[in-house]
Amino acid sequence: MPKQKIAMIGLGPMGINLALNIKDHGFDIIGYNRGEEKRVKARKEGLKVADSLEEAAGFFGSEKRIFWVMVDAEAVDLVLKQTAEYLREGDVIIEGGNSYFKDTERRVKWAEEKGLTYIGAGVSGGEAGARYGPSIMPGGTKEAYNSVAPILEAIAAKAPQDNKPCVSYNGHGGAGHFVKIAHNGIEYGVMAMIGEVAWLLKESLGLDFKEVGKILEKWNKKNDVLSSYLIGITADGLQQKDSKSRGFLADYVADITRMKGTGMWTANTANELLVPIPTIYSAITSRLQSTEKALRTEINKKIGIKTKKIKIGNKNGFSALAHNALYVANLSSYAQGLDLIKAGSKKWNYGINLSNVAKDWRAGCIIRAPALLHAISEAYKDKKKQPENLILHGPFMKILGKGIEDLAAVTSAARESGVPVPVLDAAYNYLKQL
Ligand code: 6PG
């Protein structure tokens, strides 16, 4: 059977890489971008490119049209409207940007009124993921999903444990984008805590970035519970030299973390659902505070509190504590994100399968941590025995007692040395309060 035809609308970094990935898997794909520059670039990359939406639509002949829209969140409504003019009843739209799931719900209704089929799909993994295998979180009708499953399954990342594609059907309407906002909330928490631990190791032990990077490198070894994409890129990034030979790049990077705001959606949704997600909240607040650079610099000049090296035993001993502390702290972020999915799934009747969600996060996405996510997916495998909270799952319970003690030791050390660790503190308090 000939492979399906598909059009990629929007050839920005994500769109072009997804299109090339789809092409590599033997599908007949055409790209379109409103701006000419990106069309030229895509042609150079070997893609078939249309100069108008009309031409892209014509590419399908009498076959069912599948238009994958991959544009910035602000442009989605306009592009959908323009695209719909060239679609016929029964055609499919996949919208793969970072969209707020309630916008997706609205768009699903809009598409249904036109007789179109709509799939809102969260796509994670950045440009490299898009090119070589993202994790995909689709929502829509089951029939719609089935009709494009061959494409999604072909291009998705494959999990190292069983080579299964990191994509599955999540539920109707905005279910896919809802899962993606939980993913991003977890990402906010984990990223912030890795940063805090790295900074604390540096300041309290008096290490340089290379030494901290080396510690993280060890934590990224295959069977380590912390082994993950985010630990790996932090280990590499910290050891990177500045291009002007001034030392480590990290010493010259502004300590500011901006955001497109996907974590805000997570927080707002958690408020609506009354789900406690303090680790994720704290990561958002920490990012916001980081942007107040001028204020922080002024306060530092006026008050000038310094961080200090403290006597916390040897490097190996403290980094072992930090390792365990980060592990249980990370669990808190996952527990909160999964709780949010559970509550949303109940409220909006999505029927989301938490075990599948965790399975699909084993590879491709930003929070990929194959061993941990495999264990999480096992926790939710048996529908009758699902833990009320992730930390109640046997293997996690076992390490929790000692892990919380280590997290307490690490956050106390941070206080003593004057390093703020608001997200680790929130994680500790969340676990302790539970
Ligand atoms: C991913 C990422 C990706 C990106 C977002 C978040 O899963 O590939 O989550 O979507 O990080 O753009 O942006 P903010 O962190 O700026 O909200």
Side-chain angles (χ1 to χ4, degrees), residues 39-192:
R39 297 204 298 267
V40 172
K41 184 168 178 276
R43 278 197 184 101
K44 277 195 192 136
E45 299 265 359
L47 270 185
K48 228 181 268 174
V49 177
D51 285 316
S52 64
L53 280 168
E54 192 179 3
E55 189 187 337
F59 166 73
F60 291 85
S62 58
E63 286 175 39
K64 181 159 87 173
R65 294 165 187 176
I66 304 172
F67 273 58
W68 187 321
V69 172
M70 204 67 202
V71 297
D72 288 345
E74 313 76 59
V76 172
D77 281 317
L78 179 66
V79 173
L80 287 176
K81 205 168 145 241
Q82 293 167 341
T83 306
E85 285 177 33
Y86 300 96
L87 296 179
R88 300 173 296 226
E89 208 168 316
D91 287 346
V92 181
I93 297 175
I94 304 173
E95 195 275 295
N98 259 338
S99 287
Y100 182 47
F101 73 104
K102 290 196 177 175
D103 286 334
T104 305
E105 292 286 349
R106 169 175 57 75
R107 289 166 186 153
V108 167
K109 290 202 182 81
W110 165 87
E112 275 170 4
E113 278 164 20
K114 295 184 174 312
L116 303 173
T117 305
Y118 197 94
I119 297 172
V123 176
S124 179
E127 293 168 36
R131 180 69 184 88
Y132 300 107
S135 166
I136 309 175
M137 293 149 253
T141 62
K142 189 76 204 290
E143 298 71 44
Y145 174 76
N146 289 341
S147 74
V148 296
I151 303 171
L152 301 183
E153 288 172 7
I155 66 163
K158 308 294 177 293
Q161 287 90 352
D162 48 22
N163 212 29
K164 292 250 165 75
C166 291
V167 56
S168 36
Y169 176 68
N170 284 293
H172 64 82
H177 278 132
F178 174 64
V179 170
K180 178 66 174 33
I181 66 160
H183 167 283
N184 279 32
I186 295 169
E187 173 186 312
Y188 272 50
V190 172
M191 272 171 64

Side-chain angles (χ1 to χ4, degrees), residues 125 129 183 227-230 334 361-370 373:
H183 167 283
S227 171
S228 58
Y229 169 71
L230 286 172
Y334 281 97
W361 288 347
R362 288 178 299 172
C365 65
I366 301 292
I367 59 171
R368 63 185 180 262
L373 280 154

Side-chain angles (χ1 to χ4, degrees), residues 6-24:
I6 180 164
M8 181 64 64
I9 309 304
L11 298 172
M14 290 299 284
I16 189 166
N17 282 304
L18 280 169
L20 290 167
N21 185 353
I22 292 171
K23 179 174 175 258
D24 281 354

